[in-house]
Structure formats: C-alpha cells, structure tokens
Amino acid sequence: MAILMYCILLAVIQSGSHAFEFTVGGQNEWEVPNDTNTEIYNEWAGRSRFKVGDSLVFVYNSNEDSVLQVTHQNYLSCNTSDPIAQFKDGYTVFKLPHPGSFFFISGASGHCQKSQKLQVVVLAIRGVTPPSPPPLFPPVPAPAPAPVLPAPVPAPAPAPLIMRKTPAPSPSPSMVPAVPPTSTGVPAAPLLKSAGFMCGLLISVCVFIL
C-alpha cells in the first residue's frame, strides 16, 4: 500500500508540469564536434532548462556510433568500459527520472576525447520535494538491553577457630587404691600391764625406805 501511494504521488509530481523532448545538440546529430566549437553539446545544455520527466533525444548513425550513460569520473576520463547504460539504436530517447546531474559520452573509439560528451543538470520542482521510497522490509526492533545484575556481595570471612586446651581430668577417689594404715604403737593390753607393774614397784620402794 505504501509503495502504491509513493508511485501515485510521484506521478502527480511529474505531471504537474508539461514534459518536453530535447534533441541533443539542437539541429545537429550526435556526432564529433567540428574543430571550431568543441563544447557544442555542453553549451547547448547550458542554454536549456531540464525538469523531471523531460526526455533527451540522441540521433546518430547506429553503425558508427552509440550513447553511453556513465558516472562523473568516467565522463572526465572518457572511460567507455563500464557504462551505467548503453544505447545503439540510432534514435535514443532517454527520460530524465529525477533531479541531479546526468553524464553521457560517445561509445565510438576516440569520439569522447574529441568532446563528443554531454552533461545535463535536471532541476528540482520548486516547492515540491519528491518523497523518499518506503522501505522494502519493516525495520527490525533493536534487542532489549540485558538487565544489569548487582555486584555479588562477598561472603563474610569465617571466625578464627580457637583451640582451647582441656585440662586432664583428676583421678576419681574411687580410682586411688586405699593404703592400709601402718601401726607403730604397742598393743594396749601389754602397756597397761607394764604400767601397773611399775606403780607397784615404786610403792614397794617407798614403803621400804620409810
């Protein structure tokens, strides 16, 4: 639908003014200029006003000559090996499709070097800008940016492990072997007998003395 509207609008723009056909060189054919006026074609183009939709008519002998549409660089260097378009019918009608410059040279060997060349400047329609053609394919949406992830938080360092020395357990009283008491005294009964004997002896001595 958009392409159809573009074509219709372009046709309306081109039909806004009458199109004309211009015979290249005026009454002269498309041929090598004579020695007295080597710029005949460009002087003729400078006196004319070309608009979009106008046509250039090249009249020439198809057995001896041709028309090449070329780039500006090839126009300056007279390079015939890489033309944009080539015509050999002897009566070439070239319709000017858009504003800008168009360059033509002869396809015959040596003719371009002898000034058989033409530069045409097509004027834009005043107050009207030709619409740009719609894109052939819909634009592809740009991919969504990747989410920004937060920087990882470093894990806390583990607490240092403190090695505490555990005291050795004291031996249980039940584990210590009982030592039987050692007796250093004399049995009680013999001691009593000994004390009674001494007392009796002392009493006897005292009585004797008295």
Side-chain angles (χ1 to χ4, degrees):
M1 184 65 180
I3 297 178
L4 178 61
M5 292 298 296
Y6 167 77
C7 294
I8 294 174
L9 183 58
L10 185 60
V12 171
I13 293 173
Q14 292 183 353
S15 62
S17 59
H18 298 287
F20 294 94
E21 287 189 351
F22 295 86
T23 300
V24 175
Q27 300 301 321
N28 299 318
E29 294 185 352
W30 176 244
E31 59 184 4
V32 176
N34 56 43
D35 294 336
T36 60
N37 187 5
T38 58
E39 296 296 326
I40 181 174
Y41 294 111
N42 286 336
E43 288 181 0
W44 166 82
R47 295 191 301 266
S48 304
R49 294 294 178 268
F50 305 99
K51 300 182 298 295
V52 175
D54 291 345
S55 298
L56 301 176
V57 179
F58 296 84
V59 181
Y60 54 93
N61 184 348
S62 59
N63 295 325
E64 299 178 357
D65 215 334
S66 62
V67 180
L68 304 181
Q69 181 191 1
V70 295
T71 62
H72 185 214
Q73 183 63 36
N74 289 342
Y75 170 84
L76 296 176
S77 62
C78 290
N79 183 4
T80 61
S81 63
D82 188 24
I84 299 173
Q86 184 176 12
F87 309 95
K88 298 180 179 180
D89 54 359
Y91 189 88
T92 300
V93 179
F94 183 88
K95 190 173 183 178
L96 301 170
H98 56 78
S101 297
F102 295 84
F103 304 93
F104 303 91
I105 62 175
S106 170
S109 177
H111 285 202
C112 177
Q113 288 80 355
K114 296 178 181 179
S115 299
Q116 190 180 349
K117 58 199 308 187
L118 170 67
Q119 177 180 355
V120 171
V121 178
V122 179
L123 303 176
I125 300 176
R126 182 175 300 175
V128 178
T129 302
S132 58
L136 298 179
F137 302 98
V140 179
V148 179
L149 299 178
V153 178
L161 183 61
I162 301 176
M163 300 296 294
R164 294 184 178 179
K165 185 175 181 180
T166 304
S170 58
S172 175
S174 59
M175 299 296 294
V176 179
V179 179
T182 57
S183 177
T184 56
V186 181
L191 288 176
L192 292 177
K193 290 180 179 181
S194 225
F197 173 76
M198 290 300 295
C199 289
L201 181 60
L202 289 175
I203 292 173
S204 297
V205 171
C206 291
V207 172
F208 178 75
I209 294 173
L210 294 179

